[in-house]
């Protein structure tokens, strides 16, 4: 899932100062699951903005709407009627959703209601951890199911650095050293021999370094 | 309830304005005391500032 955290309220209040009627949009997928930008969070933000504006002696009208996914045109179109009534839109989706809304409504100012953080998973209730950097060339079959790019501060691909001590990372002693974890995982799976393989210099052009990426599936095109 | 308090504090209102207390239907005396305490607390905090600045927002 893509994880996000809501932007500080004051930052959002500043963004919408010039407007008297805004649409606060939630997304029903990832940011609903991580409690940052779903229908409930959109309603809370709208309430806070209205109350804060009223405390300042001014008025603010809000509409709220949440769709299944803000990162798809078909769903974002559902905002059309409400968007027409409003002067600006706050999107509480991830960066992909916010950009889809901005592209779908080019005549409206669109503001981010969250800061998108990473692709990860809920480690336990209320705690999410990064797991994938979308490098475009997965090596998880060789690393015991643990990603050294997402989880090593130095994105090392051939074993731990000297800073790995007692299974912890030198960049942050609270974090586990993923290369220690990879060793443990491969050992448990009886695949320690995989560590003998030396990864050659990596071509990062499949990741973000190659410019923004486009996936084309001709078999799926209409 | 802790989250509700934080949301109020974020917009500059006192989180103490909301409380949740579990009281059994048989605890009439405790209910009365709790209400009295809350009333005193709200008196100290003063009137709801929203009532003084009522705009025409939704």
């Amino acid at each position: 899932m893509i994880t996000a955290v809501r932007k500080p309220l004051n930052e959002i209040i500043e963004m919408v100062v010039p407007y008297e009627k805004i649409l606060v949009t939630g997304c029903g997928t990832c940011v609903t699951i991580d409690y940052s930008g779903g229908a409930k969070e959109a309603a809370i933000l709208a309430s806070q903005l209205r109350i804060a504006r009223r405390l300042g002696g001014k008025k603010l009208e809000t509409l709220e709407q949440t769709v299944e996914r803000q990162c798809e045109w078909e769903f974002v179109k559902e905002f059309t009627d409400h968007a027409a009534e409003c002067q600006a839109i706050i999107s509480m989706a991830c960066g992909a959703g916010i950009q889809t809304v901005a592209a779908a409504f080019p005549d409206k100012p669109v503001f981010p209601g969250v800061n998108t953080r990473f692709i990860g998973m809920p480690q336990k209730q209320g705690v999410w951890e990064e797991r994938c950097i979308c490098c475009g060339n997965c090596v998880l079959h060789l690393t015991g199911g643990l990603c050294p790019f997402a989880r090593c501060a130095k994105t090392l691909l051939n074993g731990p650095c000297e800073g790995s001590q007692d299974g912890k990372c030198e960049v942050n002693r609270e974090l586990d050293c993923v290369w220690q974890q990879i060793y443990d995982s491969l050992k448990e799976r009886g695949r320690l021999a995989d560590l003998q393989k030396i990864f050659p210099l990596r071509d990062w052009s499949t990741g973000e370094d190659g410019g923004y990426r486009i996936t084309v599936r001709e078999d799926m095109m209409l | 309830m802790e989250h509700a308090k934080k949301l109020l504090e974020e917009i500059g209102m006192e989180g103490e304005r909301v409380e949740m207390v579990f009281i059994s239907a048989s605890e009439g005396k405790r209910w009365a005391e709790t209400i009295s305490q809350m009333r005193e607390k709200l008196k100290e905090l003063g009137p709801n500032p929203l009532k003084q600045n009522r705009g025409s927002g939704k």
Side-chain angles (χ1 to χ4, degrees):
Chain A
M1 63 192 287
I2 295 172
T3 67
V5 291
R6 207 197 70 187
K7 275 185 170 292
L9 184 65
N10 284 341
E11 207 176 308
I12 302 174
I13 288 173
E14 283 296 313
M15 291 175 188
V16 299
V17 162
Y19 309 105
E20 293 184 348
K21 187 169 183 177
I22 58 174
L23 172 60
V24 181
T25 66
C27 179
T29 308
C30 305
V31 291
T32 290
I33 303 301
D34 80 355
Y35 311 106
S36 61
K40 187 178 77 176
E41 291 74 28
I44 289 172
L45 175 61
S47 296
Q48 284 188 300
L49 291 173
R50 290 195 306 270
I51 293 171
R53 184 70 67 90
R54 192 183 288 179
L55 285 171
K58 295 179 180 174
K59 67 173 183 177
L60 176 69
E61 194 173 345
T62 59
L63 297 180
E64 300 152 27
Q65 189 175 0
T66 297
V67 295
E68 189 68 25
R69 278 187 292 284
Q70 287 198 23
C71 55
E72 292 192 58
W73 299 119
E74 289 80 359
F75 293 114
V76 165
K77 280 181 190 168
E78 295 174 24
F79 291 140
T80 302
D81 290 345
H82 278 351
E85 289 183 50
C86 295
Q87 300 164 307
I89 303 170
I90 294 175
S91 166
M92 299 191 74
C94 72
I98 297 165
Q99 291 180 65
T100 308
V101 172
F105 302 100
D107 60 330
K108 302 283 179 189
V110 175
F111 302 108
V114 302
N115 289 322
T116 305
R117 300 213 66 209
F118 49 75
I119 292 180
M121 58 166 289
Q123 184 67 354
K124 58 183 179 181
Q125 180 67 23
V127 177
W128 292 262
E129 285 188 3
E130 186 170 15
R131 288 290 181 266
C132 178
I133 62 166
C134 305
C135 72
N137 189 6
C138 192
V139 298
L140 287 169
H141 57 303
L142 299 170
T143 56
L146 296 136
C147 178
F149 308 129
R151 299 165 76 169
C152 171
K154 301 175 183 176
T155 59
L156 293 182
L157 194 45
N158 285 295
C161 68
E162 292 177 44
S164 174
Q165 289 179 18
D166 302 322
K168 295 295 179 183
C169 173
E170 71 170 345
V171 171
N172 181 346
R173 291 290 179 205
E174 299 290 312
L175 301 178
D176 293 321
C177 168
V178 73
W179 275 103
Q180 178 67 54
Q181 292 179 305
I182 289 170
Y183 176 86
D184 295 341
S185 173
L186 290 174
K187 187 177 180 183
E188 191 173 355
R189 289 173 164 83
R191 298 195 52 155
L192 270 181
D194 284 353
L195 282 178
Q196 301 293 326
K197 299 171 189 165
I198 304 297
F199 286 98
L201 284 176
R202 187 174 169 83
D203 177 5
W204 285 100
S205 65
T206 56
E208 61 183 5
D209 294 352
Y212 74 90
R213 291 162 280 178
I214 301 172
T215 298
V216 177
R217 283 274 307 269
E218 288 185 3
D219 58 319
M220 298 299 294
M221 294 173 80
L222 298 175
Chain B
M1 185 48 59
E2 288 305 309
H3 184 52
K5 287 173 181 286
K6 279 184 190 170
L7 291 173
L8 280 178
E9 285 164 3
E10 248 188 335
I11 53 175
M13 292 179 71
E14 301 87 351
E16 300 160 280
R17 288 184 181 276
V18 290
E19 289 293 349
M20 185 165 71
V21 181
F22 289 99
I23 303 173
S24 161
S26 63
E27 296 179 297
K29 184 170 181 287
R30 184 161 171 243
W31 186 83
E33 287 170 356
T34 303
I35 295 298
S36 296
Q37 286 167 7
M38 191 68 190
R39 189 188 62 190
E40 290 306 312
K41 189 189 290 181
L42 290 172
K43 269 186 181 177
E44 284 174 25
L45 293 172
N48 179 354
L50 284 177
K51 290 195 172 177
Q52 297 163 30
N53 292 306
R54 189 176 292 278
S56 57
K58 180 184 161 188

